Amino acid sequence: MRLESGRMSSSQISFLTVGFIFGVSLVIPPSRFTGKDTWVAILIALAEALMFAWLYVQLAVGFPGKTFVGIARTVFGDVLGMIVSSAFIAFLFVQACLVPGGFALFLTVVLLSKTPLVVLCIGLVLVSALAVRHGIEVISRCSLILVPITIVSLLATFVMLLPKYDWSGLFPFVEQPISSLLTNSHQISTFSLSHSAAFLMVLPFAGDVGSVPRYFVKAVLIAGLILAAVSVQNVLVLGNTADVSVYPTYDAVRLIEVGELFTRFEALAAINLLTMGFLKLCVFYYGAVLGVAQLAGLRSYLPLVWPMGALIVVAGMLFSSTVPNMAFYEGAFPYIATVAEMAIPLMTFIVAKLRGVL
């Protein structure tokens, strides 16, 4: 069943993947327990994420034109396939609910303290819903504009912060136990890099399926390296305070001063969160509504967009407070994400190979 007629070029896949992985990770630290070694943990997490990115690509290329819902039905059969794909779609929906809450919380803390959280959540979901209604091609075209702007702004902040870099802040190197570093690396992978599993609902709409492995995996690599570079920047600028800061990238950018005229560059960090959070929400939102439509046998996913948007706003408000947000991400989330992002795709790949359908 084909519910999407849009097509993405190779460049659109690349930019959308980079923007999606950036998401809220450019501003919100992917882990609070790695300190100045966060960049090392990100690189280890990147190695893990690249292996699974390759796995996602193998499924997408091996079952051309099929989203994960179609892949699961082909591999496991109708009944078990529906159960497996339902679990995966439920994860995408939960992720879609988490993005607006984190976005709204950040804006109320640093910029819009008197604005009700629900207003910010509704605003982000409303804009995302309009993009989702127009399909994946429109979402990917947005990334062609938003991601280059974000990358240029990141390069600009790197340069402007050069006078404030303290290279001694990186040493001593890797103080924490290796076991702890690996545990935190896995948490980072599930928090941001391996979210690319959502593209199992997107990659089937690539115009050139043969180019997917090259562009998608490279995009995951580039995004991971940039996140590691941002982490290094925060340590060099903030020192030990980077580990206790809730929004270290924002705090680092606040220190930029170009003469006495150009200050308050922290707006760049806020804009990055806004635009990349929009792309992240769009992909999760789109994957969830498309998946539900396929599971329900609908001819179009459009009737589901607004009702699901309302549910995302309501559920997102539950995660618009720092304490429950952090508790979830540091508690149950890594286990849930490991199942959805890694175990389910890996199990699907293995069974497909054993049955000879891949």
Side-chain angles (χ1 to χ4, degrees):
M1 180 187 302
R2 183 169 297 281
L3 303 178
E4 171 64 70
S5 59
R7 286 291 178 270
M8 297 183 297
S9 66
S10 299
S11 59
Q12 288 172 335
I13 292 174
S14 298
F15 281 106
L16 183 59
T17 303
V18 171
F20 172 80
I21 291 177
F22 280 173
V24 297
S25 300
L26 286 178
V27 177
I28 301 175
S31 176
R32 297 191 304 122
F33 304 108
T34 47
K36 63 178 179 297
D37 295 324
T38 298
W39 66 276
V40 179
I42 291 176
L43 292 179
I44 297 173
L46 177 59
E48 177 182 304
L50 286 173
M51 291 188 293
F52 284 94
W54 176 87
L55 181 65
Y56 308 149
V57 164
Q58 296 306 304
L59 291 173
V61 175
F63 298 93
K66 291 185 177 182
T67 66
F68 185 74
V69 174
I71 294 173
R73 282 178 171 170
T74 302
V75 174
F76 298 106
D78 289 340
V79 177
L80 185 56
M82 181 171 288
I83 295 173
V84 172
S85 56
S86 295
F88 184 77
I89 298 305
F91 175 75
L92 298 186
F93 173 73
V94 170
Q95 287 293 84
C97 296
L98 291 172
V99 175
F103 161 82
L105 180 61
F106 168 80
L107 289 182
T108 53
V109 169
V110 304
L111 291 175
L112 306 171
S113 59
K114 296 184 179 180
T115 304
L117 284 169
V118 67
V119 173
L120 297 174
C121 283
I122 291 174
L124 180 60
V125 173
L126 178 62
V127 175
S128 300
L130 293 174
V132 170
R133 283 185 61 84
H134 285 86
I136 193 61
E137 187 172 351
V138 169
I139 297 172
S140 61
R141 285 179 179 176
C142 291
S143 70
L144 293 178
I145 300 172
L146 300 177
V147 174
I149 292 175
T150 297
I151 292 176
V152 170
S153 70
L154 290 175
L155 291 174
T157 57
F158 286 150
V159 173
M160 289 186 288
L161 283 170
L162 278 173
K164 299 186 179 294
Y165 285 175
D166 179 9
W167 294 94
S168 64
L170 292 176
F171 303 98
F173 185 68
V174 188
E175 285 185 295
Q176 60 184 299
I178 297 300
S179 59
S180 176
L181 182 64
L182 293 176
T183 299
N184 291 324
S185 296
H186 176 68
Q187 181 180 1
I188 291 172
S189 180
T190 59
F191 177 79
S192 58
L193 296 169
S194 291
H195 278 179
S196 56
F199 276 73
L200 285 169
M201 299 297 296
V202 172
L203 293 178
F205 308 115
D208 180 9
V209 177
S211 67
V212 167
R214 182 168 71 256
Y215 287 93
F216 179 69
V217 176
K218 282 185 177 180
V220 174
L221 174 63
I222 291 170
L225 292 177
I226 292 177
L227 289 179
V230 170
S231 177
V232 171
Q233 167 198 275
N234 295 340
V235 172
L236 294 178
V237 174
L238 300 176
N240 293 331
T241 61
D243 194 29
V244 297
S245 174
V246 178
Y247 305 116
T249 303
Y250 179 83
D251 291 337
V253 175
R254 288 180 63 187
L255 300 177
I256 294 177
E257 294 179 353
V258 181
E260 298 181 357
L261 182 61
F262 298 103
T263 58
R264 306 290 297 181
F265 282 94
E266 59 267 27
L268 289 175
I271 291 172
N272 289 341
L273 177 72
L274 174 62
T275 56
M276 298 302 98
F278 161 74
L279 292 178
K280 197 176 194 75
L281 176 57
C282 281
V283 173
F284 281 134
Y285 192 169
Y286 174 83
V289 294
L290 181 63
V292 172
Q294 289 183 310
L295 289 170
L298 301 180
R299 298 175 62 87
S300 172
Y301 66 84
L302 295 181
L304 300 175
V305 173
W306 294 116
M308 186 169 289
L311 291 175
I312 290 174
V313 171
V314 173
M317 291 302 297
L318 299 176
F319 293 93
S320 58
S321 177
T322 303
V323 174
N325 214 330
M326 290 293 185
F328 177 71
Y329 273 115
E330 293 166 7
F333 179 79
Y335 301 99
I336 297 173
T338 298
V339 172
E341 298 171 355
M342 300 173 182
I344 289 179
L346 180 59
M347 178 178 62
T348 304
F349 178 80
I350 292 173
V351 174
K353 284 292 187 181
L354 292 175
R355 293 190 60 192
V357 294
L358 179 62

